[in-house]
Amino acid sequence: MAVHQQPKPKAGFHLPFMRGNHAASAPESAAPARIDTHTARAYVFSSVRVLMGFVFLWAFLDKTFGLGYATQSGRGWIDGGSPTEGFLGHVAVGPMESAFHSWAGAAWADWLFMLGLLGIGLALTAGVALRLTALAGTVMMALMWMAEWPPAQHLSDGSRSMSTNPFVDYHLVYAVVLIALAAASAGDALGLGRPWAKLPIVRDHGWLR
């Protein structure tokens, strides 16, 4: 008696509609992971932005009101003190030593420095104009780096500079962070970056973003 065996399906054979569903399931399952990663990255950059904003705002407040930290009480800007005289007047190294001494205590230097601290701090905290903020902050950090001049091992009087790194210090790190925040559009999360970008003047002038 002949026994008719049912043919076994070949290994690896799938119906076309089954292949399509299987292939589509991978991207669909990966989509939430990509969204979560993008969201986490956005919030990390935004948190760094807010912290950097507080660094600049605190420097402005302390130098303006003499809160007793870097600026002693009674020696704030509103008390007649100069925000630049102490720092620039004590520069003792570098190719711009004499230039910094001539700038120390000048009204224009005080105003530019303080407006820079305030503007950069507010822009970072709000998450707006990050490209312009990165440019202004980088210029400020570069000048402060030159005032401290880490490459020098000795000051102009021959004493040791106590520099811990001939190239990289926190001023350069801050500058790189500011540039990274602008490149990452870090104002879109936890900030006003999106509505700021929709303003007509900002749309017409990309450098204001």
Side-chain angles (χ1 to χ4, degrees):
M1 181 173 117
V3 178
H4 297 282
Q5 295 181 347
Q6 296 293 332
K8 296 181 180 179
K10 295 181 179 180
F13 176 79
H14 301 282
L15 294 176
F17 69 89
M18 293 180 64
R19 289 202 302 269
N21 290 342
H22 179 73
S25 63
E28 290 176 359
S29 61
R34 289 198 299 269
I35 294 174
D36 291 343
T37 301
H38 177 76
T39 302
R41 185 184 299 115
Y43 278 101
V44 168
F45 273 104
S46 297
S47 299
V48 173
R49 169 181 57 78
V50 173
L51 291 174
M52 283 293 296
F54 183 71
V55 169
F56 285 89
L57 281 180
W58 178 259
F60 171 81
L61 294 173
D62 183 59
K63 294 180 182 300
T64 299
F65 301 105
L67 300 180
Y69 288 86
T71 306
Q72 296 181 11
S73 178
R75 295 189 178 181
W77 197 22
I78 62 171
D79 300 312
S82 171
T84 63
E85 185 175 8
F87 179 66
L88 295 181
H90 289 85
V91 173
V93 68
M96 293 187 64
E97 179 180 352
S98 59
F100 286 136
H101 287 172
S102 65
W103 297 353
W108 65 267
D110 290 343
W111 276 95
L112 280 179
F113 180 58
M114 295 300 284
L115 289 177
L117 290 177
L118 178 61
I120 293 171
L122 290 177
L124 286 172
T125 304
V128 301
L130 294 185
R131 294 180 182 179
L132 185 60
T133 299
L135 175 61
T138 298
V139 172
M140 179 182 290
M141 292 299 105
L143 288 172
M144 295 179 74
W145 183 87
M146 294 189 69
E148 295 193 4
W149 199 247
Q153 293 181 331
H154 297 86
L155 303 178
S156 55
D157 62 0
S159 60
R160 293 184 58 83
S161 66
M162 305 303 293
S163 175
T164 58
N165 190 305
F167 302 107
V168 180
D169 73 344
Y170 71 96
H171 296 107
L172 294 186
V173 174
Y174 282 0
V176 172
V177 170
L178 291 174
I179 295 172
L181 293 176
S185 298
D188 292 351
L190 300 177
L192 303 175
R194 294 187 187 277
W196 173 264
K198 294 178 181 179
L199 295 176
I201 188 173
V202 179
R203 288 201 307 264
D204 297 337
H205 302 85
W207 55 273
L208 289 175
R209 295 197 56 165

